[in-house]
Each structure stands twice: as structure tokens, then as C-alpha cells.
């Protein structure tokens, strides 16, 4: 199962990266995350872990598996029968704006069932994250 959202933001890449990579503050700007706690100090880095709590989902620990500041980070989480991969990519646009591309991919023996039962929730959460990121970065 794969879910994708993107949004164009009237802010430069560095500003969007600062907001997006500060994962502990996500509950301030997206209703799709009610709590986020980094499990080690310092900036987001390869191997960093964060415990996310989301409405209607079990809390999950996400580990950064790829990072390319200020353009991208990928993190993964596993639960019985499902492996989730979240990609957060930023593209610098010619006019100084940024396009944020968000992708959630789920694999494993139960991924199809989880997608069938929770697909609308996953799509809604990605849209909330994209819209919230845009609003947070564009506020004056």
C-alpha cells in the first residue's frame, strides 16, 4: 500500500526543513499527531528514533533510515505484520517556494488488510500533515 500527498509552500527549503525536522513540535501544527517524543537528544540524524502517538493508531517508534538535510528524511516503523516507511522530501522551486512530498508505504503480510481498513485514515493524516506544514511555514 502506498499513499502520497504533496503541497507547495510559500517558504524556502531551509525554513520548511526547520519545521518538518523538528518532529517533537508536530502536534502543534498537525492533528494527525497528538504526541511526539524524541528518544535521544540532538538534531534529527541517521538512526534517530521518535515515539509518535496518532489518533486511532497504536503509538509507534519511528527510526530515521535515510537523511539528506535540508531535503529529505525517511523513517520506518514496524508492527506485527506491517512495516511502514514514511518519506518526507522537499523540492526547491524556482520561485523560492518549496514543494513538500509526503509518502507512506506499507509492506508485509498484513499491509493489504491494514490499507483496506485504514486507507482513508492514512490519506487523511497525510493531507493534514501537508496542510499543517504549509500553514506553519507560511504564517507571518
Amino acid at each position: 500500500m502506498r499513499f502520497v500527498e504533496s503541497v507547495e509552500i510559500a517558504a524556502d527549503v531551509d525554513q520548511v526543513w526547520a519545521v518538518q525536522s523538528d518532529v517533537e513540535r508536530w502536534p502543534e501544527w498537525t492533528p494527525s499527531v497528538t504526541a511526539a517524543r524524541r528518544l535521544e537528544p540532538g538534531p534529527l540524524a541517521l538512526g534517530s528514533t521518535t515515539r509518535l502517538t496518532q489518533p486511532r493508531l497504536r503509538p509507534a517508534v519511528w527510526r530515521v533510515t535515510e537523511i539528506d538535510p535540508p531535503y529529505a528524511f525517511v523513517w520506518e516503523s514496524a508492527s506485527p505484520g506491517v512495516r511502514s516507511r514514511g518519506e518526507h522530501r522537499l523540492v526547491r522551486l524556482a520561485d523560492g517556494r518549496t514543494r513538500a512530498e509526503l509518502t507512506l508505504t506499507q509492506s508485509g503480510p498484513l499491509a493489504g488488510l491494514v490499507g483496506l481498513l485504514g486507507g482513508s485514515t492514512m490519506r487523511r493524516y497525510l493531507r493534514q500533515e501537508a496542510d499543517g506544514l504549509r500553514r506553519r511555514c507560511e504564517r507571518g
Side-chain angles (χ1 to χ4, degrees), residues 24 37-45 47-50 62-63:
E24 285 188 308
R37 184 173 54 88
R38 289 283 312 282
L39 301 182
E40 56 279 311
L44 204 62
S48 292
T49 53
T50 302
W62 291 81
R63 178 178 303 279

Side-chain angles (χ1 to χ4, degrees), residues 27-138:
E28 296 175 10
W29 52 263
T30 179
S32 65
V33 177
T34 55
R37 184 173 54 88
R38 289 283 312 282
L39 301 182
E40 56 279 311
L44 204 62
L46 191 63
S48 292
T49 53
T50 302
R51 181 180 170 87
L52 284 186
T53 304
Q54 298 181 270
R56 302 181 60 193
L57 300 176
R58 300 182 123 208
V61 173
W62 291 81
R63 178 178 303 279
V64 175
T65 57
E66 298 173 33
I67 191 162
D68 179 22
Y71 297 104
F73 78 90
V74 176
W75 59 6
E76 298 183 12
S77 179
S79 59
V82 180
R83 179 166 208 76
S84 298
R85 175 182 168 95
E87 299 178 30
H88 305 80
R89 301 193 185 278
L90 303 177
V91 178
R92 187 184 312 268
L93 301 176
D95 60 3
R97 293 178 308 131
T98 301
R99 182 173 60 248
E101 301 171 345
L102 309 174
T103 305
L104 175 66
T105 306
Q106 294 181 311
S107 58
L110 297 180
L113 180 60
V114 169
L116 181 64
L117 297 176
S120 64
T121 298
M122 303 302 172
R123 281 187 284 278
R124 184 172 66 254
Y125 287 0
L126 277 181
R127 182 77 254 157
Q128 289 174 340
E129 184 181 333
D131 289 343
L133 180 63
R134 180 184 46 76
R135 282 191 303 272
R136 174 56 66 104
C137 292
E138 290 180 352

